[in-house]
Structures are given as C-alpha cells and as structure tokens.
Amino acid sequence: MPMREEDCLHIIGELDALLADIQNLLNQFEASGCTVTLKEDYIALHALQGRTLMERQRHIDEAPGTVPTLSDPLNGIAWKNTN
C-alpha cells in the first residue's frame, strides 16, 4: 500500500532537516581543516548525504507534484560545490 501524501511530506521534512545537519557538519569539517585528518568520517558524511538525497527523491516520486524537486530551495539550505 502506498504511503499517504501527508506521510511522504512529513518524511521529506525530516530528511530535509537531516540534510541541513549533514551540510552543517561538512561545513565544519571544511572550516576546521579536518577533511584530511578525519578523511574517513568526511567521506562517510558525503555518503550519508547521498543516501539521504536518494531516499528523499524516493518519497518525492511517491507523491509527485506535492513537494519541491531537488532543483528547488530546500528550506533555506545553501548547497555548496565541494569539488
């Protein structure tokens, strides 16, 4: 049975909050220079970010047209290219 639209929206909101937390941690890693000394943790955060984005997209696909796409602003999260 598919999830109700409001359940999808709730989960997407939780995933957005998690993405903001992950981005804040990544920014802290970069600002403190820990990307080298704690390289495995930094890479793990990027992997978690990727998994979270995929999970968010899965829930968007379950409720198309009711939530912002990844190209829309995510609750004020400022995404930055780390390449």
Side-chain angles (χ1 to χ4, degrees), residues 8-27:
C8 286
L9 293 173
H10 175 75
I11 290 171
I12 290 166
E14 293 293 323
L15 291 170
D16 286 346
L18 177 58
L19 286 166
D21 290 343
I22 293 168
Q23 189 60 52
N24 286 334
L25 283 171
L26 287 169
N27 291 343

Side-chain angles (χ1 to χ4, degrees), residues 22-31 42 45-46 49:
I22 293 168
Q23 189 60 52
N24 286 334
L25 283 171
L26 287 169
N27 291 343
Q28 289 175 20
F29 266 73
E30 292 161 5
Y42 184 68
L45 278 173
H46 276 287
Q49 184 180 47

Side-chain angles (χ1 to χ4, degrees), residues 43-55:
I43 291 170
L45 278 173
H46 276 287
L48 178 60
Q49 184 180 47
R51 289 191 313 270
T52 304
L53 286 167
M54 288 189 305
E55 188 65 21

Side-chain angles (χ1 to χ4, degrees), residues 47-76:
L48 178 60
Q49 184 180 47
R51 289 191 313 270
T52 304
L53 286 167
M54 288 189 305
E55 188 65 21
R56 183 183 190 278
Q57 187 61 48
R58 186 175 71 81
H59 287 286
I60 288 172
D61 292 344
E62 288 184 21
T66 60
V67 294
T69 63
L70 292 177
S71 61
D72 293 332
L74 301 175
N75 296 328

